[in-house]
Amino acid sequence: MSIVTVGIDLAKNVFAGHGVNEAGRAELVRPAVPREKLHELIASLPPCVIGMEACSG
């Protein structure tokens, strides 16, 4: 199965990414993605829905 949905927790320097397949099972778990590597990670994914979370803290 392939990744269909990815959630990204946005932060200043390090992001967290979590991707699930059609069955809702984790296919991608990246607890620490440096800012400069986020574009590379997204580019490597199949077409999917990406949701981004951010807090106005």
Side-chain angles (χ1 to χ4, degrees):
M1 288 190 211
S2 66
I3 296 170
V4 296
T5 305
V6 174
I8 299 174
D9 182 12
L10 301 176
K12 289 184 181 180
N13 297 313
V14 179
F15 305 119
H18 185 85
V20 297
N21 62 23
E22 297 92 353
R25 298 188 193 271
E27 293 277 333
L28 169 77
V29 178
R30 299 278 171 85
V33 180
R35 178 179 287 275
E36 59 273 359
K37 298 287 184 180
L38 183 62
H39 184 265
E40 184 180 312
L41 173 66
I42 293 172
S44 71
L45 296 172
C48 60
V49 172
I50 297 177
M52 295 183 174
E53 180 275 332
C55 177
S56 63

